[in-house]
Amino acid sequence: MSGRDQIEFSFNGKKIEAAPGQSVAGALLAGGQVELSRSAKYRRARGVYCAHGHCPNCLVRVDGVPHVRSCLVPARPGMLVATEGATGRRFDVYRSIGAFGRFFPVGFQYRWFKRQNLAWRLWEGRLRELAAETEIPASFEIPAAERLRADLLVVGAGPAGLGAAATAAKAGLHVVLAGRRARLGGSAAPAVSDGAASAELRQAIDLVRTATNVTVIAPGTVVAGFGDQYLVDRGDRVVEVTAAASVLATGAYERAVVFAGNDRPGVLLTSGLHRLVLEDRVLTGAQAVLVTENDTAYRLAGDLHRAGLGVRAIVDSRPDGPGPVADPPPDIEVLTGARVTRVRGRRRITGVVVETAGGRRTIRCDVVGMSGGWQRADELRYSATSSGDAVVDGQRATRIDPAGWEHAPLPVLQGVGAVTGTTDPGTAFAEGAVAGAWAAARVAGGTELIAGALAALRGGDVLGGSHG
Ligand code: FES
């Protein structure tokens, strides 16, 4: 990439360069800015953690707008980015609170201050400053909400959501597709960029980007649903979408692993590390340790290694290690039945302390990826249906069985992909495609669209394809 392609923006008055398409958080990290915010209680430093809009760590002010998640916003030329509250200050008097943390019991929080009746006025202002960590502009206009009507709303732009949106669009439905990140493809986005994704997935992305009957809102976070109405936060305004049918393809949250210092900048969820390295192209040359309680680290280690991140070791708490792994990590030390007890380093991470049956040792590294398992991102179903009953089948959102699905009752909201426990991208895409056809049936109430959608599915070999 030539220097002319680089984007420049300002961060706390300093010039930062970004590659086209790179997120603000990725550009800041590449520029050496690891601390983006601080915790409200102990003022502990916070850096990029999930890189997917699921945590408060990367909040910054962008062009005067407070509390913007910098991992979701692509860098634009000339944008003014700043840390909020005291984060950017050299001297933050409240940081000393952390030194007394051991004297504060778990759960010690603002209610204690509230009991100090006379002093409450003093506390209140300070606590607000610490908690909100930003200044609301003295006057601002709330842009009017945009209103859209659609036959189908698809929430989530990973393989499952794209399968649903593309199939429904081919069947003639008006589709709104809302994706949390600007890049389409979800967990398969790096494969899409590299041209390694399946033809069906790439065609689906082309179709939703170009079809006149599809509106893509990305980045756009669906924050609430009420029956057939949903609110999508587009960043600059709210979009109200009214849709006859909806597909929930919201994926899953990766969980943290418990060890001392797991909230420090430089410790990320493994999926967040994967996004930063493969999508934002940062952290190449760094040395990582992956801490895991499931097979995720093994699946992603090969990608990270090929992208230039040195993966020194995988520390797996399970005595038997992983199940069969399709892409075994190349030449990486694997410690099973082992656990990380803490990270080392004052300002930057310099290593992790690992306990194994043979004793304790330090592994040097400057970044840590952790994966404590996955939890379905299915809270929207409760908001959209009050109880979640319309889509819940036991512990799961309703799965769509391709065999005989034409005759099954139609739920208000269909769950597909990782939100129902399907983690393979190819299977998720196929589930989404069936959901799109199902939505066509629901909206049209007839069989012609189903036949068309099925022909599209089978013609594109959607149900049998591979979608790495
Ligand atoms: S929301 Fe940006 S790092 Fe989690």
Side-chain angles (χ1 to χ4, degrees):
M1 186 188 322
S2 78
R4 283 181 20 209
D5 294 328
Q6 293 292 97
I7 290 166
E8 280 184 12
F9 66 89
S10 154
F11 173 71
N12 285 351
K14 280 188 314 194
K15 192 174 79 179
I16 297 284
E17 289 197 338
Q22 196 171 38
S23 70
V24 169
L28 291 174
L29 198 53
Q33 180 69 33
V34 294
E35 181 180 329
L36 298 177
S37 64
R38 294 203 186 137
S39 68
K41 190 169 175 182
Y42 295 130
R43 316 292 298 147
R44 289 167 67 86
R46 297 281 186 253
V48 176
Y49 173 72
C50 69
H52 199 47
H54 290 159
C55 75
N57 279 21
C58 68
L59 293 175
V60 293
R61 177 175 286 251
V62 175
D63 293 333
V65 178
H67 279 11
V68 175
R69 285 192 162 93
S70 54
C71 68
L72 296 182
V73 178
R76 295 187 307 273
M79 69 200 309
L80 298 175
V81 181
T83 46
E84 298 187 287
T87 300
R89 286 184 209 148
R90 252 173 198 280
F91 181 66
D92 174 8
V93 67
Y94 296 119
R95 283 199 105 157
S96 57
I97 295 171
F100 302 100
R102 69 186 63 185
F103 302 113
F104 298 147
V106 174
F108 174 83
Q109 30 98 315
Y110 74 95
R111 275 178 293 197
W112 181 86
F113 295 92
K114 198 127 202 221
R115 282 189 223 121
Q116 318 304 308
N117 291 334
L118 288 177
W120 172 242
R121 283 189 172 194
L122 172 70
W123 295 126
E124 188 179 13
R126 298 285 82 76
L127 291 175
R128 280 184 190 281
E129 187 184 333
L130 284 168
E133 269 292 303
T134 193
E135 299 98 42
I136 304 296
S139 69
F140 56 91
E141 281 188 16
I142 299 177
E146 189 181 337
R147 291 196 168 79
L148 293 176
R149 281 196 167 273
D151 297 318
L152 174 67
L153 170 69
V154 179
V155 187
L162 286 163
T167 307
K170 276 186 201 167
L173 265 60
H174 286 101
V175 178
V176 171
L177 172 66
R180 204 177 264 271
R181 311 191 74 219
R183 271 193 196 92
L184 303 184
S187 61
V192 173
S193 312
D194 294 347
S198 69
E200 289 88 354
L201 188 58
R202 283 182 282 127
Q203 282 165 11
I205 290 176
D206 287 346
L207 188 144
V208 299
R209 281 208 178 114
T210 54
T212 53
N213 56 333
V214 181
T215 302
V216 177
I217 308 175
T221 302
V222 179
V223 292
F226 310 95
D228 61 353
Q229 293 193 313
Y230 292 81
L231 296 180
V232 188
D233 177 3
R234 210 183 68 174
D236 57 347
R237 68 179 61 224
V238 167
V239 184
E240 290 178 18
V241 181
T242 304
S246 42
V247 168
L248 192 67
T250 41
Y253 303 116
E254 194 169 21
R255 289 193 292 262
V257 178
V258 177
F259 54 86
N262 71 350
D263 60 339
R264 298 260 314 266
V267 181
L268 297 87
L269 296 175
T270 314
S271 54
L273 185 60
H274 191 256
R275 281 184 204 100
L276 276 178
V277 173
L278 275 92
E279 295 182 36
D280 278 343
R281 307 282 175 192
V282 292
L283 293 172
T284 49
Q287 294 289 312
V289 167
L290 305 182
V291 187
T292 193
E293 296 175 351
N294 64 88
D295 289 354
T296 304
Y298 296 89
R299 282 193 279 109
L300 303 188
D303 285 351
L304 296 171
H305 185 79
R306 282 188 289 279
L309 183 77
V311 181
R312 298 203 58 167
I314 295 178
V315 180
D316 189 337
S317 60
R318 299 168 299 174
D320 298 330
V325 180
D327 185 11
D331 203 17
I332 295 170
E333 183 181 14
V334 174
L335 299 165
T336 55
R339 68 186 191 100
V340 166
T341 55
R342 66 186 174 95
V343 296
R344 282 193 182 279
R346 269 180 67 81
R347 289 189 174 275
R348 299 283 172 107
I349 286 171
T350 58
V352 290
V353 178
V354 181
E355 268 182 12
T356 65
R360 181 179 292 198
R361 60 183 268 217
T362 294
I363 303 177
R364 298 194 71 76
C365 64
D366 43 23
V367 63
V368 179
M370 59 179 170
S371 182
W374 293 86
Q375 180 174 329
R376 291 166 195 161
D378 60 354
E379 60 274 16
L380 193 58
R381 77 182 194 213
Y382 295 101
S383 159
T385 66
S386 298
S387 65
D389 287 348
V391 289
V392 175
D393 170 13
Q395 294 301 306
R396 303 162 69 91
T398 298
R399 293 289 304 271
I400 294 166
D401 180 1
W405 60 272
E406 300 96 322
H407 308 295
L410 296 170
V412 175
L413 181 66
Q414 303 174 61
V416 290
V419 73
T420 68
T422 301
T423 53
D424 172 66
T427 311
F429 186 87
E431 276 187 11
V434 174
W438 199 346
R442 177 182 171 81
V443 170
T447 55
E448 279 174 28
L449 284 178
I450 306 175
L454 270 179
L457 286 172
R458 289 178 181 139
D461 195 25
V462 168
L463 292 174
S466 150
H467 304 269

